[in-house]
Amino acid sequence: MSLDIWMRENPLTYVWIGSYAVAMLVFVIEIAMVRHKRTLTLQQVRLIHQAEEE
Amino acid sequence: MAINWFKYSAPTTFYGLAGKLIPWFAIPAAILFAVGLYIGFAVAPMDAQQGEFYRIIFIHVPASMLSMFLYMVMAGYAALGLIFNTRLSSMMASAVAPTGALFAFISLWTGALWGKPMWGAWWVWDARMTSELILLFLYLGFIALHASIDDPRRADRASALLAIVGSVNVPIIYFSVKWWNTLHQGSTIKFSGTSMHIAMQQAMFTMLAACWLYAIAVTLARVRSIILERERHTKWIAELAEVRS
């Protein structure tokens, strides 16, 4: 079945998966990246200060 | 008692304040997303012309508005950093850029998803869509230029110029549907009012508020990492509880 026919038969699924699920995925990836960056930066800063103290 | 706002323009004080503010934006954002989706899908009626497809509007319009607003916020911070040489302003501009770029991407993506059933095409070189694509490229250019220069202060200045010059694109996006004949519909929300059903308005404004709160929360979280990275050799960073632990 072509996409054109499928989207007209399942408009809500098309809207949900195509738009909202993708938007939510983008938000989740962004949050994960921000958290990962924070963890990495904290580790680097801790290492720098440990090295300076030694 | 007057609050000394200039106190919070220093990374030293803003770092702690940002950490305290994040949950106050993140939690309401999650609640408003849930409420907005409920109203948008369970309460708002089906559109007479576009059927169920119009429901993309509840993410498409807030994402498009945010992509433009965030660019102006980014350019404003970049200009402040360039003119007054304030470190935090430049850090804020760098923190806003990825979120703005993601909203521009969501706007283009959802626009394509909406365009296919309505116009029969995922993409057309329409004035509104092309200028929004240029906005995404400007965000990516800002991020890439900043990342390509090792000295952060020089990177701030170079990328600030790009952000300021690129801000001319924002009014072009907004007025494109008035200045040119385009496939894209005109503004749904105007200062003179709107013809939308009340439940549709409620869903859209709830989602818009959710997107704003989300953008603020994630920007504050990102700017904390940028502050930590740039100020890593300072004494106050060494004394932070999370660094010492």
Side-chain angles (χ1 to χ4, degrees), chain B residues 7 10 13 41-42 58 69 80 90 106 109 122 131 133 141-142 147 172 206 214 235 239 243:
Chain B
K7 184 181 157 191
T13 40
F41 281 86
F58 304 128
F69 276 126
L80 277 177
S90 304
I106 293 171
W109 179 269
W122 300 105
S131 52
L133 182 65
F142 179 91
I172 293 174
T206 309
Y214 166 81
K235 199 181 166 196
E239 288 168 357
V243 173

Side-chain angles (χ1 to χ4, degrees), chain B residues 140-157:
Chain B
L140 298 179
F142 179 91
I143 296 165
L145 182 61
H146 201 283
S148 67
I149 302 171
D150 288 334
D151 177 12
R153 301 297 289 153
R154 285 187 66 209
D156 287 342
R157 283 196 292 274

Side-chain angles (χ1 to χ4, degrees), chain A residues 3-4 7-8 10-12 14-20 22-24 26-28 30-31 34 37-39 41-42 44-46 48-50 52-53, chain B residues 15 33 37 41 52-53 55-56 58-59 99 102-103 106 109-110 113 116-117 122 214 218 221-222 224-225 228-229 232-234 237-238 242-243 245:
Chain A
L3 182 64
D4 277 338
M7 76 167 71
R8 285 180 200 290
N10 307 281
L12 274 178
Y14 172 78
V15 168
W16 256 110
I17 296 173
S19 296
Y20 290 90
V22 170
M24 293 301 157
V26 168
F27 293 149
V28 168
E30 187 182 21
I31 292 166
V34 168
K37 169 83 178 166
R38 165 113 181 128
T39 313
T41 314
L42 262 177
Q44 283 175 351
V45 173
R46 278 187 200 130
I48 288 168
H49 287 285
Q50 278 171 9
E52 281 173 359
E53 280 170 14
Chain B
Y15 180 85
F33 267 125
L37 288 176
F41 281 86
E52 300 286 7
F53 293 113
R55 292 186 202 275
I56 293 176
F58 304 128
I59 187 71
T99 306
L102 288 176
F103 275 111
I106 293 171
W109 179 269
T110 54
L113 265 281
K116 182 65 179 165
W122 300 105
Y214 166 81
V218 85
R222 190 178 287 115
R224 272 166 64 84
S225 291
L228 208 54
E229 195 173 29
R232 61 186 180 273
H233 294 296
T234 57
I237 289 282
E242 57 258 48
V243 173
S245 63

Side-chain angles (χ1 to χ4, degrees), chain B residues 2-17:
Chain B
I3 300 169
N4 183 9
W5 293 106
F6 289 108
K7 184 181 157 191
Y8 295 106
S9 63
T12 328
T13 40
F14 189 77
Y15 180 85
L17 176 72

Side-chain angles (χ1 to χ4, degrees), chain B residues 9-88:
Chain B
S9 63
T12 328
T13 40
F14 189 77
Y15 180 85
L17 176 72
K20 285 177 194 157
L21 287 176
I22 291 167
W24 291 96
F25 290 103
I27 296 166
I31 295 167
L32 287 177
F33 267 125
V35 173
L37 288 176
Y38 172 74
I39 301 172
F41 281 86
V43 180
M46 200 169 76
D47 185 75
Q49 288 183 327
Q50 303 191 25
E52 300 286 7
F53 293 113
Y54 94 94
R55 292 186 202 275
I56 293 176
I57 200 173
F58 304 128
I59 187 71
H60 177 72
V61 171
S64 308
M65 288 171 102
L66 258 289
S67 69
M68 290 190 285
F69 276 126
L70 288 179
Y71 193 90
M72 295 314 285
V73 170
M74 181 185 85
Y77 273 125
L80 277 177
L82 194 65
I83 297 162
F84 298 109
N85 211 19
T86 45
R87 284 174 300 156
L88 185 62

